[in-house]
Amino acid sequence: MTIASGTVREAAIAAPPPDRPDFPARPRRRRRLTRNRWGYAYVAPFFLVFAAFSLYPFLYTAWISLHRTSLSNINGGEFIGLENYRNLLESEFFWNAARNTLTIGILSTVPQLCMALGLAHLLNYKLRGRTFFRTVMLMPYATSIAAATLVFAQLFGRDYGLINTGLEAVGLDRIDWEAGTVSSQVAIAVIVTWRWTGYNALIYLAAMQSIPGELYEAAEIDGASKWKQFLHVTIPSLRPTILFTVVISTIGAVQLFGEPLLFAGNGTTSGGSAGQYQTLGLLMYQQGWTNFHIGQAATTAWAMFLIILVIVGVNAVIGRLRSRAER
């Protein structure tokens, strides 16, 4: 209807409403910001600290990785683009450290998570003194890396180590744990496993306690043994938690630093006489704080970050595909 087809009143009713000015939204938004100001004030310190100590170093490391610079002249380097990344990919030290990191990561992560799962399953039963056992399991995690590594280095000692004494007692030869590639990586994996098994076991235990008891009762009525209940009830229910611990353990394995640094007992960053247990974390430290090539160290740090991104992405894709297949 238009003005020409009716009265002025009818035309006014039929005409589309005029566009509302946008100025009323601003006071509403301002009122909302004013009403939530204490919430923003409470969370602001976290974001300020995060920006100062995480975001800024993260971005600055990326910028430094594009320069040829040293630790003594960190702001006066020459911009060289991606040359540090090309040199890193052509470096045999990088690939050696990457192989060692991967090997130690597998040797420590797989047994660690399997044992944690088994311990959590045992502690999920009504045992006498289970609070004591849970506390004891967390004690290795509370122990400092330096103390644990130095104690294990003594246990794995070639001449007076307790482990070699035990091997001799059963008729086996002594092992130079620090000199061999496999033996040194196994020893470091044992240290990592000892520290993190209890922590992961408590995560699994907390997840197990949220599994409905009706599932176990139904499985028991169907005649399932405890082992079958564990395989067909516990493991499927823990799948998201297991994926979480795999991701966290993988990130920890890529960042492995303290154990290989202190394993030899002298704090060298070469990871053994032939680099047999030098990890990516040790290589980064050696480049930046031993050789003073801070640009190369920043490049290695970003390579570690990209490796973690790839691993987490692969885990996420596998988890999504599996959940989609189960629907």
Side-chain angles (χ1 to χ4, degrees):
M1 182 178 290
T2 63
I3 295 177
S5 62
T7 63
V8 176
R9 180 182 177 84
E10 292 171 338
I13 294 173
D19 295 338
R20 291 184 177 179
D22 57 352
F23 63 87
R26 292 183 179 176
R28 193 180 305 132
R29 188 179 306 166
R30 192 174 300 134
R31 282 199 302 272
R32 193 181 305 160
L33 290 174
T34 305
R35 189 169 59 246
N36 297 330
R37 64 185 185 280
W38 287 112
Y40 292 116
Y42 282 134
V43 299
F46 166 77
F47 286 102
L48 289 176
V49 173
F50 174 77
F53 296 102
S54 295
L55 185 60
Y56 173 72
F58 181 74
L59 299 177
Y60 190 66
T61 303
W63 176 248
I64 290 295
S65 70
L66 303 177
H67 291 73
R68 182 184 291 116
T69 184
S70 63
L71 187 61
S72 59
N73 187 24
I74 193 168
N75 291 320
E78 175 191 1
F79 183 80
I80 56 173
L82 299 177
E83 187 176 334
N84 278 333
Y85 291 90
R86 183 176 61 81
N87 293 335
L88 187 71
L89 293 177
E90 294 175 352
S91 170
E92 60 176 320
F93 298 105
F94 170 72
W95 291 111
N96 174 63
R99 279 194 302 272
N100 294 340
T101 303
L102 175 67
T103 312
I104 297 174
I106 293 174
L107 289 173
S108 58
T109 301
V110 176
Q112 171 193 146
L113 296 183
C114 291
M115 287 193 294
L117 203 54
L119 286 172
H121 183 66
L122 292 176
L123 288 178
N124 200 28
Y125 290 110
K126 292 181 180 178
L127 299 176
R128 182 176 295 176
R130 58 181 178 177
T131 304
F132 169 76
F133 290 119
R134 292 174 185 177
T135 307
V136 168
M137 280 204 312
L138 201 58
M139 287 181 67
Y141 175 70
T143 307
S144 74
I145 296 176
T149 306
L150 291 176
V151 169
F152 272 93
Q154 295 297 319
L155 293 176
F156 283 106
R158 184 189 61 184
D159 298 325
Y160 306 106
L162 187 62
I163 295 176
N164 272 343
T165 303
L167 291 177
E168 269 195 335
V170 296
L172 298 176
D173 295 331
R174 286 179 173 268
I175 298 175
D176 192 349
W177 294 94
E178 198 265 335
T181 300
V182 176
S183 59
S184 60
Q185 294 180 5
V186 167
I188 292 172
V190 168
I191 303 171
V192 177
T193 302
W194 179 81
R195 284 199 73 236
W196 289 96
T197 298
Y199 174 82
N200 288 308
L202 290 184
I203 292 178
Y204 288 146
L205 179 61
M208 282 179 188
Q209 291 180 345
S210 65
I211 299 175
E214 292 81 5
L215 295 178
Y216 291 103
E217 292 173 3
E220 198 168 351
I221 292 172
D222 290 340
S225 62
K226 294 293 184 184
W227 174 245
K228 287 188 176 178
Q229 291 178 24
F230 177 72
L231 288 181
H232 300 292
V233 177
T234 305
I235 297 292
S237 302
L238 290 181
R239 195 164 290 159
T241 308
I242 293 173
L243 183 62
F244 168 76
T245 54
V246 168
V247 171
I248 295 298
S249 300
T250 305
I251 293 173
V254 175
Q255 297 175 337
L256 194 62
F257 177 75
E259 290 86 350
L261 176 70
L262 298 171
F263 179 63
N266 51 13
T268 56
T269 57
S270 59
S273 57
Q276 62 268 26
Y277 55 89
Q278 186 182 50
T279 59
L280 287 173
L282 268 187
L283 177 65
M284 180 188 68
Y285 188 87
Q286 185 185 40
Q287 290 171 332
W289 282 266
T290 303
N291 301 333
F292 305 117
H293 296 154
I294 199 69
Q296 291 181 358
T299 307
T300 305
W302 261 85
M304 294 167 63
F305 173 69
L306 295 176
I307 291 172
I308 290 173
L309 272 188
V310 169
I311 294 172
V312 172
V314 169
N315 279 324
V317 169
I318 292 174
R320 182 167 297 182
L321 290 177
R322 178 167 292 180
S323 62
R324 189 177 297 174
E326 290 175 349
R327 288 177 187 171

